[in-house]
Each structure stands twice: as C-alpha cells, then as structure tokens.
Amino acid sequence: MARPELSTALPVAPPQRASLGMRFVQELRRSALSYAFIAPFFIVFLLFIAIPTLAAAILSFTTFNAVEQPRFIGWTNYINLLTQDLVFWKHAIPNTFKFAIIVGPVGYFMSFALAWFICKLPQRLRTYYTLAMYAPSLTAGVAMAVVWLIVFSGDRLGYLNGLLIRLNLIDSPQLWTQDPRYLLTIMMIVSIWSSMGIGFLAMIAGIQNVDTQLYEAGKIDGIKSALQEIWYITIPAMKPQMLFGAIMAVVGTLKAGAISMELSGVNPTPGYSGHLIINHIDDFGFIRFEMGYAATLSVFLLVLVYATSKICMKLFGSRGE
C-alpha cells in the first residue's frame, strides 16, 4: 500500500492589518485637500485656545509668580478659592451675576426686537439701520473715551452733572464712576448700549431667512397678530440663530471686566462695587502676579461659561444639535 505524500506547502499567513499610523497616513493622503483647508483654523485653535486652556488647567495646580519655576501644590488653590477668598464670593460672584442677569437678557431681547423691526423696513433702509445698531459694538473703546467718560465726568463739565445742576436736581457735581452706589449701574447702561454685536447680525440673518410661506400658512390657521407670528413662527424657525445669540450674550457678559476699569480707572474698583470675575483674575494675575491662583479662577470661569452655555442649548437647541 502506497504511503500518502506529505504536503510540503507552508500555511498561508492571514493578511496583516495596517498599523494605526499607516492608516492615518493613507487617510491623510486621500483627504489632503480637505485637511489643507481646515489646517489654518486648526492651527489657530490649537495655539490660542486648546494649548492656553490646557496650560491654565495645569498651572491651577501650582504656585507661580511668573519669575520662578512653577511649584506643584495640588488642590490648594481650589480649596482656597472655595473657603478663603471672601472678595470673590462677596463681590466678584454677586456683581458678575447681577451684571449678567440684567445685561444678558436685556441685550438679547433688544437684539431680537431691533432685528425684527429692521427686517420690517424697506430693503434700501435696512443696511443703514443695521450699521447704526451694530457700530457701537465696534467702536465701544473709542466711545468709552469720547462719549461715556464725558457724560459721567465728576465735574461740572460732565454732561450728566451739568444737566442735573441746571434742573436743580443736585447742588454739586457727583463722582458717578467713583461712587460705589452708581458704578455697577453705569456699567450695565454702557454694556447694554454696546451689546448689538455678532448675535444681533445673526438674528437679522435668521429673520430674513424664515420662509414667507410659513407666515401665509399661519394666517390661514388663525394667526392674527405680529406677536403670534413671532412666537409661533419666527422664533421656532430661527432656533439656531437664537441659540447662537444666547451663547454669545452669555459669554460676553461673563467675560466682561474691562469696562469697570475704563470707567473707574482703577482695579479693584472703589469698594469692589464693579468687581467682576475678570477683574479678580486680572488682580491676581497682573497686579499680584499669583499666576497659579489666577489660572484657578480662569478654570472656574471656563466651567461657569460651559454650564450656562449648556442651559442655553437646552432652552433653544433642538435634538441632534
């Protein structure tokens, strides 16, 4: 009986999967043009947002005076923030929330209302009125020096003092921007005046892009007034723009702080009356040079902005956004 011949063929090895690096290189080659287009934004985002945020988070666990090497101290800065920083909890937090609760919603409502009224104007007039409303947000720094500081000047040459003296409402000039009773209110007035920023333009674009057929269908369904049109048609149809405007209003009010120094000329402000979170960060970072603690305050502000932005997304966002 003949023996069966033994097969000398070697087993075929299964094809090996490409490594993660090789797959990344292949994907990069296939989509090189797309990555080239997004590269400028990605580089700017990395250099000016991602890396500084990561650096602040790391520095918040150190003590650093901008001269010596940072020294790791763990959670000490956060513990001090929660238990020992009385100025932060007594002045910075209440002032910031008062400022944000008034300036944010009022500016947001005014942005929508003015955008709606402008969209009702003839086409040839919209550009001029839009520019007139948007200009204060672009020229806020110049207007602060040229207009508002003169209006609230503490001598008889100040417009407000001169008007009130002529009306016999006051006997002597008031130091409006140095008086703790008035500073925060003045900050709110000036901020509302200059609050027609990019969110205002987004709302104009949203209102103009609402399908006019929706308004015609609404009239057939029984909508009779402009308020009903706004509530049932305009706002639901422009939720992305409403969400963008709300987030911009939240971020703008929470990161405000320069206005108090521009009005009062000092940081901290008199009696901490206009002391906001940003002023507290500047106080520790650029006056006391306690960079580690300033980074801790920055991380707290970042978490606060993120939390309020999520609330806005719950109010105006839709599923899937």
Side-chain angles (χ1 to χ4, degrees), residues 182-300:
Y182 306 122
L183 179 58
L184 187 60
T185 302
I186 295 173
M187 290 167 53
M188 294 176 184
I189 293 172
V190 177
S191 298
I192 292 173
W193 174 81
S194 61
S195 63
M196 304 297 137
I198 191 67
F200 166 70
L201 296 182
M203 290 187 183
I204 288 182
I207 294 173
Q208 290 179 341
N209 289 328
V210 176
D211 192 352
T212 55
Q213 294 181 355
L214 295 176
Y215 295 110
E216 297 173 0
K219 291 179 180 178
I220 296 174
D221 290 339
I223 291 179
K224 299 179 181 179
S225 66
L227 289 177
Q228 289 179 326
E229 281 187 354
I230 293 173
W231 185 257
Y232 292 108
I233 298 177
T234 305
I235 293 178
M238 54 175 291
K239 270 195 171 184
Q241 290 81 10
M242 298 290 289
L243 173 61
F244 177 77
I247 292 177
M248 292 301 295
V250 167
V251 173
T253 52
L254 290 179
K255 73 180 182 65
I259 184 174
S260 63
M261 291 184 289
E262 290 172 350
L263 286 170
S264 65
V266 293
N267 184 33
T269 54
Y272 293 102
S273 56
H275 198 68
L276 306 179
I277 294 179
I278 290 293
N279 302 121
H280 207 55
I281 295 173
D282 290 343
D283 182 17
F284 278 92
F286 302 111
I287 297 177
R288 309 187 193 195
F289 290 100
E290 297 182 19
M291 297 296 183
Y293 191 72
T296 304
L297 294 168
S298 301
V299 172
F300 177 89

Side-chain angles (χ1 to χ4, degrees), residues 136-163:
S137 66
L138 297 176
T139 61
V142 177
M144 179 66 66
V146 176
V147 179
W148 293 109
L149 290 180
I150 298 176
V151 170
F152 296 107
S153 178
D155 52 25
R156 290 179 178 271
L157 298 178
Y159 294 160
L160 183 58
N161 276 331
L163 176 63

Side-chain angles (χ1 to χ4, degrees), residues 16 33 39 60 69 78 104 111 167 226 229 239 244 250 285 295 316:
Q16 295 183 355
L33 185 60
S60 67
Q69 289 291 333
Y78 290 94
S111 297
L167 295 175
E229 281 187 354
K239 270 195 171 184
F244 177 77
V250 167
F316 296 104

